[in-house]
């Protein structure tokens, strides 16, 4: 339900359902350590306030010196 300009530049964690906070913290630490994440479920809050369960898979992209550049993630509505 969000418009593009409402989510671009926002932290993913700002969209999380409060019950997912600890799960996100653990999974995000793993994501940073491993450089990727596969099929991790999260509950987000839609613009209308209703929850939505998604599956996230993503990779960290680094430069030739190993410095962080960006993340590339795919969210699937499950």
């Amino acid at each position: 339900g969000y418009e593009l300009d409402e989510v671009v530049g926002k932290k993913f964690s700002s969209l999380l359902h409060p019950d997912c906070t600890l799960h996100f913290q653990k999974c995000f630490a793993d994501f940073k350590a491993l450089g990727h994440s596969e099929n991790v479920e999260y509950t987000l809050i839609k613009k209308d306030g209703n929850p939505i369960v998604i599956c996230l898979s993503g990779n960290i992209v680094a430069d030739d010196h190993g410095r962080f550049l960006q993340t590339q993630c795919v969210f699937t509505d499950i």
Side-chain angles (χ1 to χ4, degrees), residues 5-75:
D5 64 333
E6 293 177 299
V7 293
V8 171
K10 255 189 154 176
K11 291 185 177 186
F12 172 71
S13 59
S14 70
L15 301 172
L16 282 173
H17 188 282
D19 292 346
C20 277
T21 302
L22 292 177
H23 173 62
F24 170 74
Q25 290 172 347
K26 184 211 177 298
C27 292
F28 188 65
D30 292 345
F31 177 64
K32 289 191 309 185
L34 297 171
H36 63 89
S37 184
E38 298 289 329
N39 302 316
V40 180
E41 290 185 22
Y42 294 103
T43 301
L44 305 180
I45 300 297
K46 298 191 305 182
K47 187 174 181 175
D48 66 8
N50 288 312
I52 182 173
V53 179
I54 60 101
C55 182
L56 179 144
S57 293
N59 294 300
I60 291 176
V61 179
D63 68 12
D64 293 338
H65 302 285
R67 293 179 296 225
F68 174 85
L69 292 174
Q70 66 184 7
T71 59
Q72 297 175 333
C73 298
V74 174
F75 300 83

